[in-house]
Every structure is written in C-alpha cells, then in structure tokens.
Amino acid sequence: MAESFEVALTVNGTHRAARVPARRLLSDLLRHDLGLTGTHVGCEHGVCGCCTVLLDGEPVRSCLMLAVTAAGHEVTTVEGLAEPDGTPSPVQRAFRECHGLQCGFCTPGFLCTVTALLRETPRPTEDQVLEGISGNLCRCTGYQNIVKSVHRAADLLTEET
C-alpha cells in the first residue's frame, strides 16, 4: 500500500488540504483532489506548458512537480487569476479581446505564464514576449494572436496602474 501524506497549501487565496500518495503530481492534486480543472495536462513531460500554474508567483509545470513539494506554498491556477467577484484579469481580458484563446486547451498555461511575464517585464519587447511564451505550445493556428494578447495585456495593466 502506497504511503500517503497530508498536503496543506494555499490555492487561489484559500487554504486547502488533501491526503495524497507520495507520487501524486501537483496537477493531479489540483484537478482530481481539489476539483480545479482549469489546469490542463497535455504532454505530461513538461514540454507543452498547458499545466503551468504559479507557485509563490513563479510559473511552474504542475505535471512535473510532486504535490507534497507544494506543501506550505501558495499556488495560483487559472481560476485564481480573476478578481474574487469573477472579473477577468487584464491578461484574461486581453486574450479574449485579441482572440488569443483559440481552442482554449493551452490557454490556462499561457495565462499563468503571461501573468508572471508581465509582472517581471511590464512593457516587453517583441523578442521578450516570444522568449517569455516560448515554453508554452499552442497547436492551433499559431502565435500571432497570443503575442497580440500579451501586448494588449501590458497596455491594460499600464492603464490600470
């Protein structure tokens, strides 16, 4: 029988706890144990970036991280990017406005990645945007609208400050 551990962490501003097997991935904890299905799992090798969440504000691949290592940390999933009243974040609004959502499967990872990118680099150049999103794969139509969305999000964030 697999040994299990109690994992307590803050997810989207709320204290959460679950008993999980030692080998449980953070993505599985979020999706299966906590019901936060906004985090998508694509390749399960950390290549596609669909499972990206913010761990203490930094983007991480939740499919590569054991849930027990997230104990005591703060995790933000795509569900936690919006305001508490449900108002989409500037990054979410920009993706909707610029049609950066496309099929939507990779979108949660992009939204978390771009949120962190714009916190570190509020007015990124084209090259900085391309480098910033280079770890996330979109299998739809390309990255033009995603890049536009990043620049629009930077504008929205500047307007709001």
Side-chain angles (χ1 to χ4, degrees):
M1 181 170 176
E3 188 175 6
S4 63
F5 297 87
E6 185 74 19
V7 177
L9 63 164
T10 302
V11 181
N12 300 330
T14 302
H15 178 76
R16 305 290 299 264
R19 180 162 278 290
V20 298
R23 295 182 59 144
R24 176 70 110 192
L25 297 172
L26 178 58
S27 57
D28 291 333
L29 169 70
L30 295 169
R31 290 182 57 81
H32 304 298
D33 299 311
L34 303 181
L36 298 168
T37 57
T39 300
H40 292 169
V41 178
C43 67
E44 298 188 70
H45 297 287
V47 174
C48 72
C50 291
C51 67
T52 302
V53 298
L54 302 177
L55 182 76
D56 297 331
E58 297 297 320
V60 297
R61 301 288 202 252
S62 64
C63 77
L64 296 181
M65 184 173 182
L66 296 173
V68 294
T69 60
H73 292 275
E74 183 171 329
V75 175
T76 304
T77 68
V78 68
E79 291 96 338
L81 297 179
E83 297 296 324
D85 69 356
T87 301
S89 73
V91 175
Q92 291 170 313
R93 291 194 320 265
F95 270 70
R96 182 180 59 207
E97 187 179 307
C98 298
H99 307 289
L101 302 170
Q102 305 186 106
C103 85
F105 189 81
C106 65
T107 302
F110 270 106
L111 293 173
C112 289
T113 297
V114 171
T115 297
L117 169 67
L118 294 177
R119 189 177 42 251
E120 292 293 319
T121 311
R123 301 299 295 181
T125 65
E126 190 80 1
D127 286 344
Q128 289 171 319
V129 170
L130 293 175
E131 183 178 334
I133 63 171
S134 64
N136 293 69
L137 300 179
C138 171
R139 295 181 175 96
C140 289
T141 60
Y143 295 83
Q144 292 88 358
N145 290 341
I146 293 171
V147 171
K148 286 180 194 171
S149 300
V150 177
H151 289 297
R152 178 64 182 140
D155 291 342
L156 291 173
L157 286 164
T158 300
E159 291 170 11
E160 291 184 2
T161 56

